Amino acid sequence: MSDQRFIEIMDSTLRDGEQTSGVSFLPHEKLMIARTLLRDLNVDRIEVASARVSDGEKEAVKMICRYAQQINRLESVEVLGFVDGHTSVDWLDECGAKTLNLLAKGSLRHCTQQLHKTPEEHIADIKAVVSYAAEKGIGVNIYLEDWSGGMKDSPEYVYQLMDALTIDHSPLTIDHSAAQENAESNNVQRSMVNGQCIKRFMLPDTLGIMNPLQVVEYFRKMVKRYPNTHFDFHAHNDYDLAVSNSLAAALSGARGLHVTVNGLGERCGNAPLSSVQVILKDHFNALTSINEEKLNDISRMVESYSGIAIAPNQPIIGDNVFTQVAGVHADGDQKGNLYHNALMPERFGRRRAYAMGKTSGRANIMRNLQELGLDLTPEQMQRVTRRVTELGDRKEVVTQEDLPFIVSDVLKHDVTEDKVKLVSYQVSLAYGLKPLANVKVEINGQQYEGHSSGDGQYDAFVKALRMIYKENLDRTFPLLENYAVTIPPGGRTDALVQTVITWQMDSGRLLRTRGLDADQTEAAIKATIKMLNIVENSKKS
């Protein structure tokens, strides 16, 4: 029998995460995220919506429930509902959902000032909803909204509510081996209301006001008083303590933690799924169901659908977190991986990179050259290093893809000529009409022409190129994975625009190219032609 504790992970990206300002998922986007969370990432539970919100929300929940039914995971799909008589329960029933996360009031202030009810009245209303849900075959988890405020200001109210909703306070024995196989096998005896089952009590730090010491204190009080109860913890990140507080809750008896992908959520967001997962595993030696190799994939999917960019230095999932910049780090890695820790990029389906710039030095450049299969003499290395440093001083970004061109330019031999040249192009834009593009390119000495319309000027340009590659060369064109535009502060209309495009190659490898120009479309075109040259040169080599 393992002595490791199993912690359930409940992802609330599709409910609490969608409360991020400016975020609204379409029904099919919700389905795609839900499928990835359940099928690929293997999250124990997902909270997918709030009841009564909209027709679009109802359609999304129906789609997710149909999918979950097909893979025998319907019990893992949860919907937030309210103490509103039959309304929320009926909404779930119409959607085919089987688990209601009932939002009750966890502090006296919320009960009396927001609901204008006495504790006894609120308890009676909760019991009525739970009983009706049981009649409909719907299980219930109960949120104690503002539980952190309740424990601070009105603990007697929290205990009154819990006492009324729980009946068994006897000691608890947990079969850890069963828990490892399935989050539902914790042998946690469920609370009963009028003979009906309450699966879990979920304790939120709704306003993000707690620190880890308070979480430990309050959680231990709850677990001691209600030892047979399954408690979840739901953290908010207002003081940047959501991850620390989640770990404190796990250390103090929480059997489930709530997270969101990329830390999305109201105000400052919730505890990020990726960070909570690695801290549970590496610092608490806990067991979870999460497939870590898919963490980066789900983060990129949610980034794309939400429009909320991941910070480059976001732990685990940021672009820069597995990139060494200082040359001394690359040197140490060459001499025994001296700057590695347990967060190996391969663990998350990623790889380590060594940035090149004014602080990178020879070691970083050498690591990149080795990956490209280029072998230089010490004197050649010195000249290439000097050029990279000069570019770094000018704040120019040097990528691995740039390195062969820099080497050729510096050494002045075996010069890599452009295999793909843009001979001419014309894009037109007229009100009420789709943009048109006419493109002439030279590929390995042969000229080709293509034309197309598109949803934008650059889209029309790319579609014309795709037509050339398909009809004339019988080759596939790399897929555009991401498109980012940055301009310097100040808002001048003549400012240089940098466009960074991420491409997915046939091999599945991602390639990033950059273009710089005062015109955004021209910058994107430069990045595209640069990508095509990299592809042609790699085919030659």
Side-chain angles (χ1 to χ4, degrees):
M1 181 181 295
S2 172
D3 60 354
Q4 293 178 289
R5 274 191 52 205
F6 184 91
I7 302 295
E8 274 188 355
I9 300 296
M10 192 276 268
D11 183 275
S12 187
T13 303
L14 299 177
R15 199 278 298 174
D16 213 350
E18 198 177 25
Q19 292 177 198
T20 306
S21 178
V23 173
S24 179
F25 298 119
L26 297 173
H28 79 273
E29 293 174 338
K30 281 201 163 192
L31 176 62
M32 294 303 297
I33 293 172
R35 286 179 59 181
T36 304
L37 287 169
L38 291 175
R39 180 191 61 191
D40 300 334
L41 206 66
N42 200 33
V43 168
D44 297 295
R45 300 147 50 202
I46 56 174
E47 190 175 44
V48 299
S50 297
R52 305 166 11 198
V53 168
S54 67
D55 291 339
E57 195 82 332
K58 177 177 281 190
E59 181 58 32
V61 176
K62 287 180 178 178
M63 291 165 61
I64 293 170
C65 287
R66 284 196 295 268
Y67 170 74
Q69 180 84 50
Q70 292 170 7
I71 63 171
N72 199 29
R73 294 289 304 276
L74 184 56
E75 294 291 331
S76 299
V77 177
E78 303 173 5
V79 177
L80 181 75
F82 309 95
V83 183
D84 55 9
H86 292 185
T87 307
S88 289
V89 174
D90 286 340
W91 196 93
L92 266 74
D93 190 47
E94 292 166 8
C95 294
K98 292 298 181 183
T99 303
L100 167 67
N101 290 345
L102 184 60
L103 190 67
K105 298 302 181 182
S107 69
L108 182 62
R109 190 164 61 99
H110 274 229
C111 178
T112 58
Q113 295 182 27
Q114 189 171 30
L115 297 183
H116 302 293
K117 293 198 173 187
T118 65
E120 291 77 14
E121 290 172 328
H122 187 41
I123 289 168
D125 292 341
I126 294 170
K127 290 183 176 181
V129 173
V130 174
S131 295
Y132 183 63
E135 292 177 20
K136 293 288 187 177
I138 294 174
V140 178
N141 302 318
I142 293 187
Y143 270 117
L144 300 186
E145 187 184 15
D146 194 37
W147 168 77
S148 51
M151 292 300 289
K152 274 186 158 187
D153 304 326
S154 53
E156 69 289 340
Y157 166 81
V158 176
Y159 299 144
Q160 179 183 0
L161 195 66
M162 289 295 302
D163 288 345
L165 300 176
T166 58
I167 60 171
D168 188 348
H169 297 189
S170 58
L172 172 68
T173 301
I174 302 172
D175 181 351
H176 294 282
S177 61
Q180 181 175 352
E181 295 175 6
N182 190 315
E184 291 295 332
S185 301
N186 282 357
N187 287 349
V188 177
Q189 190 164 343
R190 295 168 176 176
S191 305
M192 307 292 288
V193 174
N194 298 338
Q196 312 305 332
C197 181
I198 297 175
K199 297 179 180 179
R200 305 170 186 86
F201 284 88
M202 307 191 294
L203 310 180
D205 182 16
T206 303
L207 302 178
I209 59 175
M210 301 179 81
N211 63 53
L213 294 178
Q214 291 169 320
V215 174
V216 168
E217 177 188 352
Y218 298 153
F219 238 94
R220 286 180 176 173
K221 287 180 178 179
M222 296 293 286
V223 171
K224 182 178 180 180
R225 187 174 177 111
Y226 308 101
N228 268 11
T229 302
H230 178 121
F231 288 118
D232 281 0
F233 180 63
H234 181 104
H236 278 265
N237 205 35
D238 296 68
Y239 281 94
D240 203 19
L241 289 171
V243 175
S244 300
N245 286 343
S246 296
L247 178 60
L251 290 169
S252 305
R255 306 196 179 280
L257 295 176
H258 295 190
V259 298
T260 59
V261 177
N262 302 341
L264 292 183
E266 201 156 15
R267 304 188 311 277
C268 300
N270 294 28
L273 165 61
S274 53
S275 296
V276 168
Q277 163 61 24
V278 299
I279 287 177
L280 283 175
K281 182 174 181 179
D282 294 358
H283 291 270
F284 186 45
N285 194 33
L287 293 172
T288 69
S289 301
I290 301 299
N291 178 7
E292 292 185 336
E293 289 186 359
K294 300 298 183 180
L295 285 172
N296 192 59
D297 292 344
I298 186 64
S299 290
R300 297 301 162 186
M301 176 184 286
V302 171
E303 178 186 44
S304 175
Y305 288 158
S306 68
I308 304 296
I310 300 170
N313 62 339
Q314 177 80 15
I316 315 304
I317 55 175
D319 278 345
N320 295 345
V321 297
F322 298 117
T323 301
Q324 304 279 34
V325 176
V328 65
H329 292 169
D331 180 66
D333 286 347
Q334 285 181 330
K335 296 173 180 176
N337 295 330
L338 301 181
Y339 291 90
H340 287 190
N341 58 22
L343 299 175
M344 301 297 287
E346 294 78 13
R347 176 176 164 186
F348 310 105
R350 303 183 63 184
R351 66 185 186 93
R352 195 172 301 281
Y354 294 87
M356 291 174 288
K358 63 182 179 180
T359 64
S360 58
R362 291 165 54 90
N364 278 25
I365 298 170
M366 188 176 296
R367 289 295 292 251
N368 283 279
L369 288 170
Q370 288 172 351
E371 289 189 19
L372 291 170
L374 296 173
D375 188 19
L376 303 183
T377 67
E379 189 272 336
Q380 291 170 336
M381 271 295 304
Q382 186 176 11
R383 290 161 61 189
V384 171
T385 301
R386 190 183 307 122
R387 174 60 62 86
V388 171
T389 302
E390 290 171 358
L391 292 170
D393 276 333
R394 301 209 305 259
K395 289 192 175 182
E396 293 192 29
V397 178
V398 180
T399 68
Q400 190 180 84
E401 289 79 16
D402 296 322
L403 208 48
F405 298 94
I406 293 172
V407 170
S408 296
D409 182 51
V410 169
L411 302 185
K412 302 298 183 185
H413 68 77
D414 192 24
V415 176
T416 303
E417 295 184 359
D418 285 348
K419 303 294 182 184
V420 181
K421 298 176 182 177
L422 183 60
V423 178
S424 65
Y425 78 91
Q426 180 181 21
V427 291
S428 62
L429 181 65
Y431 182 76
L433 299 175
K434 277 195 168 188
L436 299 173
N438 293 291
V439 179
K440 180 185 288 186
V441 291
E442 181 181 306
I443 305 172
N444 294 318
Q446 180 71 39
Q447 290 192 2
Y448 305 95
E449 291 188 37
H451 58 274
S452 181
S453 62
D455 293 327
Q457 291 175 298
Y458 177 65
D459 183 54
F461 177 86
V462 170
K463 285 180 177 177
L465 277 179
R466 287 186 188 279
M467 185 188 77
I468 291 172
Y469 271 72
K470 180 179 179 180
E471 295 184 0
N472 299 102
L473 303 176
D474 193 26
R475 284 165 51 185
T476 58
F477 196 88
L479 293 174
L480 193 151
E481 181 81 11
N482 195 23
Y483 180 104
V485 176
T486 56
I487 60 174
R492 296 198 334 268
T493 56
D494 62 346
L496 287 175
V497 176
Q498 177 178 255
T499 302
V500 181
I501 305 179
T502 304
W503 308 89
Q504 186 176 66
M505 317 309 287
D506 289 340
S507 63
R509 171 174 169 250
L510 294 181
L511 173 68
R512 287 188 180 88
T513 53
R514 292 166 170 78
L516 192 69
D517 197 88
D519 180 81
Q520 178 178 326
T521 301
E522 179 70 19
I525 289 172
K526 287 181 177 179
T528 305
I529 298 300
K530 186 174 183 180
M531 176 272 295
L532 292 174
N533 273 290
I534 291 172
V535 170
E536 290 300 324
N537 284 307
S538 65
K539 286 175 70 69
K540 176 185 176 183
S541 63

